[in-house]
């Protein structure tokens, strides 16, 4: 057997510290029982190469952890070697090309965003500041203003990746283009370890302004029907979200909050971009109305952190919706108006009008993204929250076309997440690149991932 030495630390199952290493940095504390064979706290890029080779030699499969934020704990895999990339913290920017380089565990909002903002640049990272860019980018990446600026994966210029053969390669549109294609959308089905992302950046918007309209849930039907009728007409500089949550500073009961965040260069442009919000027929009954007021990313991110607290148990699910308002609004009534506790929230995120996607694995979307998040702390409540969410998502099936991997759990509910062509192409590339299935692939229960809506 080859002897391996690591810059980081290899902890085998049963050794002191293994229990912590198994689930460290995992956001969702409704932890699984799955027990990996070992965890390698990677200390360098070379450790990743050595780790992949070690796994092959020992007959272990390979799982990867970057930011630890996947809801379904995708990095905690039975009998696998977990490559924990948490200690790789590279962050760089080349001002001649506008390209940033970042390690996969770098947090998109808390680390990459301020680093780039100091240089007048921006990358459309995830909304919650602590999400790692690794898992986020591999599955598509619904960052700030994905509606107008596209999926974050579209901003990936190249990746450095350790293949199933244990080789470190640079993949982009011209080199190892199969890996480059697959890395932009296959998510936890990817069969390599990305050690570095090369990311295009854009100028930081000079002016951020938001419109916020808050309603009692009685207004749900009228407001959401109106929103679905107009969202495709709003300027593509505006991120459009409608969320139901509880905010005791506004009302003791859950409320519906419709927001438009304009990412523009001056107040006049923001005012024009947000004007369609003034056509909301229920506006006279708003509990609170903020119109095109200046805001900052720091403030927006602080709200995200409040809504997504650490140390909780979570169930999360999502659906891409399609249909007329008469079909969609009633189907979403339960998930919107019957939240099971004061911390739960449901979001409706506009992607309309749909932009054409480049050639990459990520390939299923629709004009409306809906995701629901339930969080609590007492394990005794697990079953009731799971049941509520399952029921609410079942109501949506008639208007559901698929799901986004980022808020999904294929082991619990299978939905379509790639086009049929992309699914076929991914299987072919995987068979060539990782014929021995060294990488764990999708965590999808005994049937494996089907890429089909389960009710079909
Ligand atoms: C609070 C919160 C807010 C969120 N907000 C958003 C949001 O605004 N937009 C959005 O799109 N998503 C969002 N998500 C979902 C999030 O993007 C995904 O859960 C994503 O998988 C997290 O990436 P990670 O690296 O932190 O997770 P990890 O659990 O570390 O990684 C998930 C899986 O991705 C694969 N992977 C990760 N890194 C690598 C790598 N370097 N090489 C190969 N495979 C790798 C592995 O299969 C790994 O198990 C949010 C999640 C949370 C918990």
């Amino acid at each position: 057997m080859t002897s391996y030495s690591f810059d980081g630390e290899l902890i085998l199952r049963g050794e002191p510290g293994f229990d912590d290493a198994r689930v460290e940095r995992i956001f969702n504390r409704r932890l699984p029982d799955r027990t990996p064979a070992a965890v390698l706290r990677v200390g360098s890029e070379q450790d990743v190469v050595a780790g992949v080779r070690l796994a092959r030699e020992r007959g272990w499969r390979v799982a990867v952890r970057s930011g630890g934020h996947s809801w379904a704990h995708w990095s905690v895999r039975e009998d696998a070697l977990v490559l924990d990339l948490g200690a790789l913290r590279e962050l760089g920017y080349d001002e001649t090309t506008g390209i940033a380089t970042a390690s996969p565990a770098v947090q998109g909002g808390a680390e990459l965003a301020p680093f780039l903002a100091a240089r007048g640049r921006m990358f459309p990272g995830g909304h919650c500041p602590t999400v790692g860019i690794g898992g986020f980018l591999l599955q598509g990446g619904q960052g700030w203003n994905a509606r107008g600026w596209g999926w974050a994966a579209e901003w990936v210029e190249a990746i450095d990746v350790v293949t199933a053969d244990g080789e470190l390669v640079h993949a982009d549109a011209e080199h190892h283009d199969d890996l480059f294609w697959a890395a932009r959308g296959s998510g936890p089905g990817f069969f390599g370890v990305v050690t570095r992302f090369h990311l295009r950046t854009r100028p930081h918007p000079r002016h951020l302004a938001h419109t916020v309209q808050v309603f009692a849930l009685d207004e749900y039907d009228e407001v959401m029907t109106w929103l679905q009728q107009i969202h495709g007409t709003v300027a593509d500089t505006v991120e459009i979200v409608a969320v139901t949550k509880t905010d005791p500073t506004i009302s003791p009961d859950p409320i519906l909050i419709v927001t438009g965040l304009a990412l523009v260069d001056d107040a006049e442009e923001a005012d024009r971009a947000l004007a369609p919000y003034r056509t909301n027929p229920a506006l006279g009954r708003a509990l609170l109305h903020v119109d095109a007021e200046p805001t900052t990313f720091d403030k927006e991110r602080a709200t995200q952190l409040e809504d997504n607290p650490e140390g909780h148990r979570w169930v999360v699910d999502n659906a891409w919706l399609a249909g007329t308002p008469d079909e969609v609004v009633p189907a979403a009534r339960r998930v919107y108006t019957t939240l099971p506790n004061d911390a739960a929230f449901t979001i409706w995120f506009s992607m309309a009008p749909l932009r054409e996607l480049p050639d990459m694995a990520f390939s299923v979307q629709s004009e409306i993204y809906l995701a629901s998040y339930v969080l609590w702390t007492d394990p005794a409540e697990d079953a009731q929250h799971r049941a509520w969410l399952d029921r609410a998502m079942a109501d949506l099936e008639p208007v559901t076309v698929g799901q986004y991997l980022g808020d999904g759990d294929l082991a619990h509910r299978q939905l379509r997440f790639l086009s049929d062509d992309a699914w076929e192409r991914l299987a072919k590339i995987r068979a060539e690149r990782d014929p021995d299935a060294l990488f764990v692939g999708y965590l999808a229960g005994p049937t494996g991932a089907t890429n089909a809506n389960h009710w079909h």
Side-chain angles (χ1 to χ4, degrees):
M1 273 210 181
T2 321
S3 78
Y4 290 90
S5 70
F6 296 104
D7 297 318
E9 187 187 8
L10 178 69
I11 308 173
L12 301 178
R13 183 195 290 175
E15 286 185 349
F18 176 80
D19 290 345
D20 288 341
R22 182 182 82 95
V23 292
E24 69 193 349
R25 300 187 307 106
I26 296 277
F27 182 83
N28 182 357
R29 301 314 288 178
R30 191 173 54 85
L31 294 169
D33 296 331
R34 295 186 295 273
T35 311
V39 176
L40 174 58
R41 288 192 184 118
V42 165
S44 62
E45 199 167 42
Q46 196 47 42
D47 273 3
V48 178
V49 172
V52 167
R53 292 181 180 174
L54 172 75
R56 191 174 277 290
E57 199 173 290
R58 297 271 174 101
W60 296 332
R61 299 184 83 192
V62 174
V64 185
R65 181 176 308 154
S66 284
H69 272 56
S70 59
W71 300 108
H73 319 97
W74 283 327
S75 65
V76 187
R77 300 296 292 270
E78 199 64 38
D79 296 331
L81 172 64
V82 178
L83 298 180
D84 186 331
L85 308 183
L88 303 185
R89 315 302 307 172
E90 182 183 319
L91 205 47
Y93 177 67
D94 179 343
E95 60 186 29
T96 57
T97 58
I99 301 284
T101 46
S103 306
V106 162
Q107 299 180 343
E111 295 172 331
L112 180 59
F115 172 82
L116 289 176
R119 290 153 180 81
R121 306 296 291 179
M122 164 159 198
F123 174 77
H127 293 83
C128 184
T130 54
V131 172
I133 61 169
F136 170 78
L137 288 171
L138 282 161
Q139 74 215 354
Q142 198 173 41
W144 292 101
N145 195 26
R147 170 176 180 259
W149 294 341
W151 289 85
E154 296 178 50
W155 294 73
V156 177
E157 183 72 10
I159 51 173
D160 296 336
V161 49
V162 176
T163 64
D165 293 334
E167 301 297 333
L168 175 62
V169 301
H170 182 80
D172 60 17
E174 268 121 47
H175 312 91
H176 303 283
D177 59 328
D178 55 339
L179 289 175
F180 184 60
W181 178 88
R184 292 169 301 147
S186 61
F190 189 60
F191 28 81
V193 189
V194 178
T195 56
R196 185 177 295 101
F197 289 96
H198 302 253
L199 305 168
R200 286 189 294 117
T201 58
R202 65 180 312 287
H204 199 280
R206 286 197 288 273
H207 186 81
L208 259 65
H210 64 182
T211 286
V212 181
Q213 304 175 348
V214 180
F215 301 94
L217 292 187
D218 299 349
E219 313 293 346
Y220 165 79
D221 282 71
E222 185 172 1
V223 171
M224 294 308 288
T225 301
W226 160 80
L227 188 60
Q228 195 181 332
Q229 281 161 348
I230 63 108
H231 69 139
T233 69
V234 177
D236 68 2
T237 47
V238 178
E239 172 167 293
I240 305 172
V241 179
V243 58
T244 295
K245 67 177 195 180
T246 308
D247 180 345
T249 65
I250 300 175
S251 164
D253 301 317
I255 44 177
L256 170 61
I257 310 175
V258 177
T259 60
L261 175 67
L263 301 128
V264 291
D265 284 329
D266 59 52
E268 217 173 281
E269 193 185 352
D271 192 69
R272 261 197 322 274
L274 293 167
Y277 280 76
R278 298 179 192 127
T279 65
N280 183 345
L283 202 47
R285 298 189 296 283
L287 303 175
L288 181 82
H289 180 202
V290 167
D291 190 276
E293 266 189 17
T295 182
T296 62
F297 272 123
D298 282 347
K299 284 189 200 156
E300 301 293 323
R301 289 197 189 101
T303 309
Q304 296 285 334
L305 277 181
E306 264 170 43
D307 288 347
N308 295 279
E310 308 253 335
H312 284 68
R313 307 171 79 79
W314 295 73
V315 283
V316 172
D317 207 344
N318 75 93
W320 286 116
L321 305 182
T324 63
D326 282 353
E327 293 162 339
V328 171
V329 174
R333 195 176 286 125
R334 187 189 307 273
V335 78
Y336 251 86
T337 63
T338 69
L339 293 177
N341 65 24
D342 286 358
F345 57 101
T346 296
I347 61 165
W348 182 109
F349 193 85
S350 171
M351 294 297 287
L354 275 186
R355 299 166 47 267
E356 206 181 315
L357 295 170
D359 187 22
M360 58 181 181
F362 182 90
S363 45
V364 167
Q365 58 171 355
S366 76
E367 292 195 343
I368 301 172
Y369 180 66
L370 186 143
S372 190
Y373 307 80
V374 187
L375 54 151
W376 67 97
T377 51
D378 182 356
E381 294 176 26
D382 286 9
Q384 83 199 52
H385 294 315
R386 176 86 269 172
W388 176 82
L389 188 58
D390 287 351
R391 180 81 201 273
M393 297 312 289
D395 283 3
L396 287 164
E397 284 170 10
V399 289
T400 295
V401 295
Q403 73 166 349
Y404 172 46
L405 283 172
D407 288 323
D409 178 356
L410 297 174
H412 182 71
R413 200 168 86 106
Q414 294 252 9
L415 282 88
R416 185 167 186 263
F417 54 91
L418 295 184
S419 70
D420 294 344
D421 284 354
W423 183 241
E424 219 175 282
R425 185 165 161 192
L426 184 66
K428 203 164 154 266
I429 300 172
R430 179 170 185 149
E432 286 162 7
R433 286 285 185 174
D434 185 15
D436 307 323
L438 182 72
F439 283 85
V440 288
Y442 295 108
L443 179 64
T447 55
T450 57
N451 195 42
N453 294 335
H454 63 89
W455 55 91
H456 282 148

